[in-house]
Structures are given as structure tokens and as C-alpha cells.
């Protein structure tokens, strides 16, 4: 019974030229977004890999230098593109791709795609995620708005019911039929995406990538299902197709445009972030209260020197078994890093509170839920960006302190002329970044996951109860 | 005896209107009962109550002895419904439409059987494989009849089925009804067409403002007398 109606819906849709044209357009967009996205991500990844290898090579093959000169020479950390970021660019286009790592300074990531592109990027990019999140629901609306209203308008609903089928069964069969149609539009593009991804030269098939891809697909399937059920319910509750369509378009605008913007604005209003200039000034002011390794007259450095003399029981700094300059540099680095981390944590906390508003808004809107989960699985969300920034900072700190340690142990007091051999730099492991595992990514989107699940349960329970209230006459 | 269709004090009241005022009616198997009345008289309300699409305010409707309100799905096994305009699914062929509706009623037929039912209902064989969107109203009504026949319905509920049909199509439709009634199908037809009612009906009921004001046997009446009586009721 259900199969017959589902098959009828599927067949009728395939024979509807208007829908076929619309579906082909969406499919072409999906295919184009897949190919272009993959090509773009692949190119960026190659560029970053080459750049990372180049800076690592430059660092390891630097000429003989004083370790503190080397600390200022610094290095770069390039953020590798995650395997699935071609499906959802997320924040990648707006967050930086590289961090300059040097002593005393905690630089943020720079050179985002948006900085290097025209302002058109602000209108949004044509990514697989954009098509799946915004255009597919629109296609579903056009597919399903007449699910019940057309049957009412033509009188076929009465004939269907007189054959002994219940409203719920009709609704379920229609949902099944429409799901099949949507699958027909989406599957070729997703198969192409998987094929291109796994077929790439030298692609390392990591189980984590497979899990991420499977979850990415599952979340979208649930999202489409929610939209299909919602559209069928709205159609069942209306008498006329025109009013059902207007209601559904209103819901689409509310879900995909108004609530996300409102949530973002509310987040910004409730939790304001300082400007970069303000934060830099605050950090600078506080760091200035600490030890200045470059200032021989610095009072706090003097205190540290006295403490060292006392600790080692010697009269002069030159008698110390360690180079006090390196110790002071290390202490300064420790203090400036602590200050920076405090400010950075505060800033991150504010961003996370802003994001929390958006995550909670997912309970009002499945679009936001799938958007967060999609970016999370693609590794292009704020959490992944933050993870990279923290790893880069961790590396920078270890690098700076490693070089300070060299200065403290291999150089003597006030020795500014000795150069360490270039082989020394090879002792430092190059920066390498691993995308965190899928569980980690999921743990950062618990609210979105719960919201998507709640929406699914809600449309399947309350929704089907509403179907029973359909006015037949 | 068990009636194919029965109404006992059947009443339907909407917020501001009493649409049906305690209808009492019994229709036997093989009988064709035609219900005449103006628009808004309560004819469609009566059919909708028998179909279970609306719930009665009081009283009860019965199909094959089962109270409709208590056996909403079960009673559908016995009845078939043909509205004024059988729209069906325009993107499906006549065969596909019949296959779909038959399978919903629990009957799976092969192509030959489906074709047999369509031809039996008077649809030209060549039209069966065409999309219903290309059919005339008369052809669609025939598919509607084929759906009812293929379902082996014991009760046929028709809501102004010949309205808008040309005389030839109307005559063919009447012949089909007579054939079905001779096979034992009880037919309840709401119509404006006095002459068609006289031609096919065993009995004719006249409904005015939700009330069945008269029931007449058609054997003793000619069409003109029936029309006079009907107009008389409408003017008083």
C-alpha cells in the first residue's frame, strides 16, 4: 500500500518537467560545487604543504646563528586543509591559513581566502554544503508543497481514502516517495564526491575520514527528511497549494535566513569582543609589567638574577653554571605567553558564547543544527580553527623555550657573538598538524546533535499527529 | 434484512448551520437510490458521512451493517466513491491509475486484468496506456467506474457523477450503473439531473435544507411528473 503511493509519487515527479528541470539544475550545481570545491581544496592543500615544507627546510638549513636571533627568525605553521573541507568550506575562507611563530609574540592566523578574494565572497560561496543546506530544502518545498493540497484540490484525496488507506499511511508513503526523489538528486553528486576524494593520487584513506564522511551524509539525510516531513505536514494542514507554498517559503526564509542572522546578531550583542588593536594593546600593557629580556636595566630581571646568584651560591653572573640571559628570556617568554593565553582564552570564551547562542538556536531551526554539524565533520568550524591555533601556539612556545634553553646552556653570560651551528636547528621537530578525531569534533556540537535528533523526533511524533487533523472535506 | 447502506437519525450540524436533519434511509443491495436537491441541500454531506470523512453530530451511518464511525477503515472495503469530477493522477496512465487504486484496496492485477476492467468500464483500449492528463471528463469517469468495479465494491457512492458530461457519455455512464446494480451493487447517487435519476434510479429521494422531504419509486412516475414534484418541493 505504502509502496504503491510512494512509487506513484516518484513516477509522477519524474514525469513532471518543471521538477525535472529544477532537479537537474540543483544536481548540476551540486556536481559543479563538488568538482570546484575539491579542486580548490586540493590546490590550497598543495600550496600549504609546499609552503610548510619550504619554511621547515629554511628553518632547518638556516645559517649559523645566535639562538635568540633564531627565535626571532621564527617559522610558519600552515593549517592543512582537512580531507572533507571541500564539502563545506565553513569558516576556512575567513580564518587565517598560516601563523608566524616567533619569540615574545603570539600572532594570530593570517592570509584568509576572504582577505585575498574580492568582496563577493561575503555573499557566500557555492559549496556542496551551501547547495545541501539552502537549495535542497527549497527544492523539497517545491516538491512537497502540494503533497496533500493538490490531492484535496483535485479530489483524489477522497478517492484515496475511500480505498481504505489512512491519512498517516498516505503521508508516510508520500514522504517515502519524495525521499526517493531527493536521493535521486543528491546521490550522484555525493558518489562523485566520494569517488573523487578517495581516488585522489596519494590519498591516505583514514578511518576517521570515512567516519566523518558517513556522519556528514547521515546528518544531511536527517535534515532532508525533516524538511520533507515538515513540508508534507504543512501541505496536509492547508486547503490550497498556494497558501501551503507561501507558508513553506516563509519557513524556509525563517530557517535559512532570519534565525541564523538573528542568532549571530544576538550573540554579537550579548557577548562583545574587543577589537584586535584593543586586545594587542591590553596584552602589550600587561606583558610590559613582566620581565623584559631585552632590557638589561629591567628591575624584575634584576630580581631574577639575584635569585639565581642565591640559588647557585655565587657572587657574579659570569660564575653561574647557566647563561642568565637565556633564563631571563625563558622567564619573559613564560610570562608573556601566560598573559597572551589569558587574553586569548577570554576572547575564545566570548566567541564560544556567541557560538553557543547559535548552537542553542538550532533547537528552533534544523538548518543551524546541520550547519554546525556539517562544518564540524568537514573540519572547517571554529573549534577546528581554534585547535590549530592552540597547536601552533603550543609549538611556538616550545620552539621559543627550546631556543632559550640553548642560549642558557650552550652560551655564556653576555655572549652575543657566538653562533650555533646550523645543525642545531635540525634538532627541532618541524611543525606538523593532525586534524583531531571525529569524536572530538562531535563533542563540540552536542547541542546541534541533540537539536537535530529532537527535530527528527518532533516531526515524526507531533507531525504525524497533526496529519490526523487534516480536513478532508 | 441487512441493508447495504443505512442512515439512522443521521444529523450533522456545523457551527452556524444544520446541514442534515436526522436522515433515515435504507438502501438494499442492487438498488439505485438517487438523491435530488439544490446546492447546499445536504447531498454531499450525506455522502461524506457515509464515507466517514466527517463525523455525525448525532445518529449513525451504516455500510453493510457496520457503523461507519466505528469501522472507518473496514467499511471502505465495501464501498467505492466517484466524485463529480474524477481527476485521478494526470502524470500516470489509465492503467497506472487503476493499478494504484486497486493495490490500495488490496487487489494486485496484471496488465491484462487491468485492461479488462478499463474496457469493461467503456474506456477505449488505446487510451489505457495514455496519461490521464489527456483524457476527457467522461473518460476519467470511466476510469473511476473501473476502480469501483476492480475493487468489487458492494456500495457505490456517487456525487453528481454525470454533471458536465455530454449526453452520449451520460448514457454510457447510466448503462454502467444499471449493469453494476444488476450484479447486486447498491448505488447511492446525489444528482441534479432529474431525468437521469428517473432513468436509472430504483427510488428517488428529494432533499431540501438538510431534510429528506420525499422518497418516490420511479416505476410509477414519468420524468415530467418527477420534475413537477421536485420543483414543487423546491418552491414551497
Amino acid at each position: 500500500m505504502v509502496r504503491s503511493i510512494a512509487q506513484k509519487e516518484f513516477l509522477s515527479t519524474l514525469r513532471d518537467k518543471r521538477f525535472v528541470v529544477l532537479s537537474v539544475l540543483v544536481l548540476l550545481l551540486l556536481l559543479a560545487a563538488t568538482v570546484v570545491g575539491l579542486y580548490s581544496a586540493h590546490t590550497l592543500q598543495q600550496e600549504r604543504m609546499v609552503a610548510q615544507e619550504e619554511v621547515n627546510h629554511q628553518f632547518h638549513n638556516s645559517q649559523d646563528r645566535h639562538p635568540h636571533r633564531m627565535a626571532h627568525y621564527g617559522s610558519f605553521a600552515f593549517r592543512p586543509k582537512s580531507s572533507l573541507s571541500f564539502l563545506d568550506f565553513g569558516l576556512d575562507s575567513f580564518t587565517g591559513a598560516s601563523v608566524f611563530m616567533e619569540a615574545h609574540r603570539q600572532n594570530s592566523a593570517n592570509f584568509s581566502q576572504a582577505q585575498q578574494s574580492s568582496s563577493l565572497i561575503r555573499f557566500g560561496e557555492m559549496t556542496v554544503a551551501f547547495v545541501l543546506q539552502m537549495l535542497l530544502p527549497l527544492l523539497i518545498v517545491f516538491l512537497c508543497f502540494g503533497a496533500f493540497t493538490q490531492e484535496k484540490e483535485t479530489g483524489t484525496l477522497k478517492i484515496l481514502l475511500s480505498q481504505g488507506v489512512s491519512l498517516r499511511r498516505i503521508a508516510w508513503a508520500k514522504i517515502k516517495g519524495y525521499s526517493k526523489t531527493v536521493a535521486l538528486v543528491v546521490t550522484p553528486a555525493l558518489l562523485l564526491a566520494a569517488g573523487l576524494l578517495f581516488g585522489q593520487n596519494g590519498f591516505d584513506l583514514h578511518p576517521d575520514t570515512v567516519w566523518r564522511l558517513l556522519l556528514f551524509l547521515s546528518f544531511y539525510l536527517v535534515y532532508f527528511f525533516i524538511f520533507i516531513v515538515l513540508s508534507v505536514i504543512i501541505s496536509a494542514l492547508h486547503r490550497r497549494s498556494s497558501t501551503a507554498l507561501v507558508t513553506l517559503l516563509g519557513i524556509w526564509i525563517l530557517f535559512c535566513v532570519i534565525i541564523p542572522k538573528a542568532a549571530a546578531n544576538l550573540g554579537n550583542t550579548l557577548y562583545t569582543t574587543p577589537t584586535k588593536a584593543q586586545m594587542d594593546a591590553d596584552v602589550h600593557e600587561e606583558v610590559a609589567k613582566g620581565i623584559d629580556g631585552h632590557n638589561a636595566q629591567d628591575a624584575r630581571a634584576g630580581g631574577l638574577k639575584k635569585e639565581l646568584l642565591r640559588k647557585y651560591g655565587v657572587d657574579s653572573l659570569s660564575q653561574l653554571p647557566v647563561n642568565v640571559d637565556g633564563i631571563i628570556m625563558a622567564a619573559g617568554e613564560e610570562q608573556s605567553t601566560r598573559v597572551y593565553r589569558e587574553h586569548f582564552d577570554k576572547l575564545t570564551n566570548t566567541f564560544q558564547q556567541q557560538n553557543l547562542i547559535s548552537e542553542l538556536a538550532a533547537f528552533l531551526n534544523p538548518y543551524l543544527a546541520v550547519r554546525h554539524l556539517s562544518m564540524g565533520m568537514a573540519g572547517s568550524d571554529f573549534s577546528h580553527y581554534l585547535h590549530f591555533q592552540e597547536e601552533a601556539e603550543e609549538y611556538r612556545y616550545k620552539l621559543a623555550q627550546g631556543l632559550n634553553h640553548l642560549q642558557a646552556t650552550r652560551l655564556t653570560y653576555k655572549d652575543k657573538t657566538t653562533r650555533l651551528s646550523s645543525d642545531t636547528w635540525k634538532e627541532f621537530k618541524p611543525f606538523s598538524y593532525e586534524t583531531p578525531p571525529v569524536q572530538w569534533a562531535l563533542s563540540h556540537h552536542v547541542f546541534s546533535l541533540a537539536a537535530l535528533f529532537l527535530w527528527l523526533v518532533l516531526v515524526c511524533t507531533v507531525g504525524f499527529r497533526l496529519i490526523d487533523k487534516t480536513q478532508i472535506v | 434484512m441487512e441493508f447495504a447502506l443505512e442512515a439512522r437519525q443521521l444529523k450533522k450540524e456545523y457551527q452556524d448551520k444544520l446541514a442534515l436533519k436526522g436522515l433515515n434511509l435504507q438502501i438494499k443491495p442492487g438498488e439505485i437510490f438517487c438523491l435530488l436537491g439544490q446546492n447546499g441541500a445536504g447531498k454531499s454531506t450525506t455522502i461524506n458521512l457515509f464515507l466517514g470523512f466527517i463525523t455525525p453530530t448525532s445518529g449513525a451511518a451504516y455500510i453493510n451493517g457496520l457503523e461507519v464511525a466505528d469501522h472507518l477503515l473496514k467499511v471502505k472495503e465495501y464501498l467505492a466513491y466517484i466524485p463529480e469530477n474524477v481527476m485521478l493522477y494526470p502524470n500516470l496512465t489509465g492503467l497506472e491509475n487503476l493499478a494504484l487504486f486497486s493495490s490500495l484496496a488490496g487487489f494486485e492485477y496484471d496488465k491484462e486484468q487491468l485492461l479488462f476492467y478499463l474496457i469493461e468500464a467503456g474506456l477505449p483500449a488505446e487510451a489505457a496506456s495514455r496519461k490521464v492528463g489527456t483524457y476527457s471528463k467522461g473518460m476519467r469517469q470511466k476510469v473511476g467506474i473501473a476502480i469501483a468495479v476492480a475493487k468489487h465494491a458492494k456500495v457505490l457512492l456517487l456525487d453528481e457523477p454525470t454533471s458536465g458530461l455530454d449526453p452520449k457519455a451520460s448514457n454510457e455512464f447510466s448503462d454502467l450503473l444499471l449493469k453494476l446494480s444488476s450484479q447486486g451493487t447498491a448505488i447511492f447517487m446525489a444528482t441534479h439531473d432529474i431525468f437521469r435519476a428517473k432513468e436509472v434510479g430504483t427510488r428517488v429521494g428529494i432533499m431540501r435544507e438538510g431534510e429528506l422531504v420525499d422518497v418516490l419509486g420511479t416505476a410509477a412516475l414519468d420524468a415530467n411528473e418527477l420534475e413537477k414534484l421536485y420543483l414543487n418541493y423546491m418552491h414551497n
Side-chain angles (χ1 to χ4, degrees):
Chain A
M1 197 181 272
V2 168
R3 223 185 81 211
S4 306
I5 302 177
Q7 187 62 14
K8 172 247 142 194
E9 290 298 339
F10 183 62
L11 259 181
S12 293
T13 311
L14 290 190
R15 289 175 187 175
D16 184 346
K17 283 184 188 138
R18 292 163 303 177
F19 184 77
V20 170
V21 170
L22 210 59
S23 303
V24 167
L25 274 176
V26 172
L27 177 61
L28 286 176
L29 275 176
L30 257 183
L31 292 173
T34 306
V35 174
V36 172
L38 190 65
Y39 174 77
S40 157
H42 185 72
T43 309
L44 283 172
Q45 174 64 356
Q46 287 300 314
E47 282 174 7
R48 290 178 193 179
M49 259 173 64
V50 168
Q52 188 69 66
E53 279 169 18
E54 182 64 26
V55 295
N56 290 344
H57 178 80
Q58 280 173 0
F59 186 88
H60 286 150
N61 294 286
S62 288
Q63 59 195 56
D64 297 354
R65 276 196 175 110
H66 186 283
H68 197 66
R69 283 287 307 278
M70 201 57 193
H72 277 290
Y73 178 78
S75 184
F76 278 93
F78 288 90
R79 187 181 171 199
K81 295 283 286 180
S82 79
S83 308
L84 298 183
S85 63
F86 76 98
L87 293 171
D88 190 341
F89 294 0
L91 301 178
D92 275 7
S93 304
F94 301 95
T95 53
S98 62
V99 179
F100 178 49
M101 302 177 294
E102 58 176 329
H104 318 311
R105 291 181 65 85
Q106 295 77 10
N107 300 305
S108 56
N110 279 321
F111 304 113
S112 68
Q113 280 286 97
Q115 280 174 316
Q116 300 171 71
S117 307
S118 71
S119 57
L120 285 175
I121 203 169
R122 300 276 165 196
F123 288 105
E125 297 153 301
M126 183 59 74
T127 63
V128 173
F130 173 79
V131 179
L132 296 180
Q133 286 165 16
M134 303 278 282
L135 301 187
L136 244 298
L138 206 54
L139 185 78
I140 290 171
V141 164
F142 285 118
L143 173 68
C144 306
F145 76 94
F148 272 92
T149 50
Q150 273 172 9
E151 304 271 11
K152 287 180 195 175
E153 285 163 349
T154 58
T156 40
L157 182 62
K158 281 184 170 185
I159 306 180
L160 275 178
L161 292 167
S162 72
Q163 293 299 94
V165 198
S166 67
L167 277 167
R168 278 194 189 207
R169 279 201 166 206
I170 294 173
W172 178 239
K174 282 175 178 286
I175 289 163
K176 221 174 140 185
Y178 294 140
S179 302
K180 210 169 150 187
T181 314
V182 171
L184 197 71
V185 179
V186 176
T187 310
L190 295 179
L191 283 178
L192 177 80
L196 288 175
L197 176 68
F198 297 136
Q200 281 181 103
N201 263 347
F203 177 76
D204 180 23
L205 183 60
H206 198 278
D208 198 72
T209 309
V210 179
W211 272 113
R212 278 176 179 260
L213 185 63
L214 285 175
L215 285 170
F216 181 90
L217 296 180
S218 310
F219 295 143
Y220 276 104
L221 289 182
V222 173
Y223 177 59
F224 299 149
F225 184 76
I226 290 168
F227 251 95
I228 291 172
V229 178
L230 201 62
S231 303
V232 169
I233 294 164
I234 296 293
S235 183
L237 296 177
H238 282 77
R239 282 180 182 278
R240 296 191 167 279
S241 295
S242 53
T243 50
L245 180 61
V246 169
T247 306
L248 282 167
L249 286 177
I251 289 174
W252 180 82
I253 292 170
L254 191 72
F255 280 1
C256 298
V257 183
I258 297 173
I259 296 182
K261 294 278 176 206
N265 286 344
L266 182 69
N268 280 337
T269 311
L270 290 178
Y271 305 104
T272 47
T273 49
T275 60
K276 186 170 186 320
Q278 181 62 49
M279 186 178 152
D280 286 348
D282 290 347
V283 171
H284 183 77
E285 190 187 332
E286 216 165 312
V287 167
K289 293 175 193 163
I291 295 170
D292 181 2
H294 287 286
N295 182 3
Q297 308 304 317
D298 186 86
R300 290 164 296 265
L304 183 62
K305 285 173 188 169
K306 278 182 195 158
E307 200 185 313
L308 281 170
L309 291 173
R310 205 169 34 247
K311 182 182 170 189
Y312 288 102
V314 291
D315 302 325
S316 70
L317 293 171
S318 55
Q319 287 176 308
L320 283 170
V322 287
N323 178 3
V324 73
D325 294 337
I327 301 291
I328 289 170
M329 285 296 175
E333 190 65 54
E334 191 185 328
Q335 192 259 349
S336 65
T337 300
R338 184 184 49 77
V339 170
Y340 173 79
R341 283 188 182 166
E342 276 172 16
H343 281 264
F344 186 73
D345 286 349
K346 221 167 119 185
L347 181 71
T348 306
N349 218 13
T350 311
F351 281 136
Q352 276 167 345
Q353 279 171 321
Q354 289 178 351
N355 286 342
L356 184 66
I357 298 278
S358 182
E359 290 254 357
L360 290 175
F363 286 100
L364 300 174
N365 176 6
Y367 163 80
L368 277 175
V370 85
R371 195 171 83 164
H372 292 131
L373 290 166
S374 169
M375 285 194 289
M377 292 304 100
S380 56
D381 60 348
F382 182 69
S383 311
H384 280 81
Y385 165 71
L386 202 61
H387 185 262
F388 166 77
Q389 183 84 19
E390 283 167 356
E391 293 273 303
E393 168 53 19
E394 185 71 26
Y395 179 85
R396 184 205 68 81
Y397 181 71
K398 280 183 182 160
L399 178 71
Q401 292 299 52
L403 291 164
N404 288 334
H405 181 72
L406 286 179
Q407 189 181 355
T409 54
R410 296 205 203 166
L411 269 66
T412 54
Y413 178 53
K414 285 198 171 170
D415 180 0
K416 294 198 189 305
T417 52
T418 304
R419 304 283 179 264
L420 293 183
S421 116
S422 69
D423 288 342
T424 316
W425 321 134
K426 291 190 177 70
E427 290 168 20
F428 291 90
K429 270 177 136 180
F431 176 76
S432 74
Y433 178 73
E434 285 278 324
T435 306
V438 63
Q439 302 93 308
W440 180 93
L442 278 175
S443 71
H444 284 80
H445 296 288
V446 176
F447 285 124
S448 293
L449 200 62
L452 197 68
F453 182 70
L454 192 76
W455 269 97
L456 181 68
V457 173
L458 210 68
V459 292
C460 289
T461 51
V462 180
F464 273 86
R465 268 184 212 157
L466 284 174
I467 294 267
D468 290 337
K469 295 194 186 300
T470 302
Q471 294 268 314
I472 303 158
V473 178
Chain B
M1 105 162 252
E2 195 170 80
F3 296 106
L5 213 116
E6 188 180 6
R8 289 184 205 157
Q9 281 300 315
L10 193 59
K11 197 189 221 182
K12 180 66 189 175
E13 195 172 354
Y14 292 107
Q15 277 172 342
D16 53 349
K17 193 187 167 193
L18 195 57
L20 199 62
K21 300 171 182 169
L23 175 70
N24 285 301
L25 181 69
Q26 289 93 26
I27 300 169
K28 289 180 274 186
E31 190 181 2
I32 302 180
F33 185 89
C34 296
L35 187 63
L36 291 170
Q38 289 178 309
N39 287 336
K43 305 188 296 293
S44 296
T45 301
T46 308
I47 289 180
N48 286 328
L49 283 163
F50 277 120
L51 283 164
F53 292 162
I54 49 178
T55 46
T57 308
S58 63
Y62 297 86
I63 301 277
N64 253 26
L66 292 175
E67 189 174 341
V68 174
D70 293 343
H71 304 88
L72 275 176
L73 287 180
K74 183 71 183 165
V75 295
K76 305 280 172 37
E77 285 177 22
Y78 307 121
L79 61 84
Y81 166 68
I82 299 177
E84 179 184 349
N85 202 352
V86 181
M87 289 304 290
L88 304 172
Y89 297 111
N91 280 331
L92 302 186
T93 65
L95 279 168
E96 287 168 343
N97 266 290
L98 180 58
L100 168 69
F101 285 106
S102 299
S103 84
L104 296 182
F107 296 93
E108 299 292 341
Y109 295 117
D110 60 28
K111 198 179 166 185
E112 278 73 33
Q113 287 169 302
L114 292 169
L115 198 59
F116 167 78
Y117 283 117
L118 286 172
I119 294 170
E120 192 67 355
L123 193 79
E126 56 81 24
S129 302
R130 271 196 292 140
K131 283 186 190 171
V132 162
T134 64
Y135 285 15
S136 66
K137 186 183 175 187
M139 288 163 88
R140 292 200 305 271
Q141 297 296 90
K142 284 168 185 169
V143 180
I145 287 282
I147 291 169
V149 175
K151 190 185 175 182
H152 306 295
K154 290 189 164 79
V155 175
L156 204 52
L157 295 167
L158 311 171
D159 197 354
E160 297 174 21
T162 54
S163 149
L165 286 186
D166 62 57
K168 184 174 172 282
S170 289
N171 278 334
E172 286 171 357
F173 193 79
S174 298
D175 292 342
L176 282 169
L177 295 187
L178 290 168
K179 192 175 165 189
L180 286 172
S181 117
S182 70
Q183 290 164 359
T185 309
I187 298 170
F188 179 94
M189 179 163 82
T191 182
H192 291 297
D193 190 341
I194 295 168
F195 294 95
R196 192 70 49 203
K198 153 70 188 128
E199 189 187 309
V200 298
T202 319
R203 284 186 297 156
V204 174
I206 297 172
M207 187 168 258
R208 194 183 63 186
E209 291 170 3
E211 198 174 350
L212 189 62
V213 288
D214 206 351
V215 176
L216 308 150
T218 53
L221 281 170
D222 66 27
N224 288 331
E225 284 172 314
L226 181 60
E227 186 182 26
K228 207 182 273 178
L229 265 169
Y230 174 73
L231 290 173
N232 212 17
Y233 275 117
M234 294 305 117
H235 289 139
N236 292 327

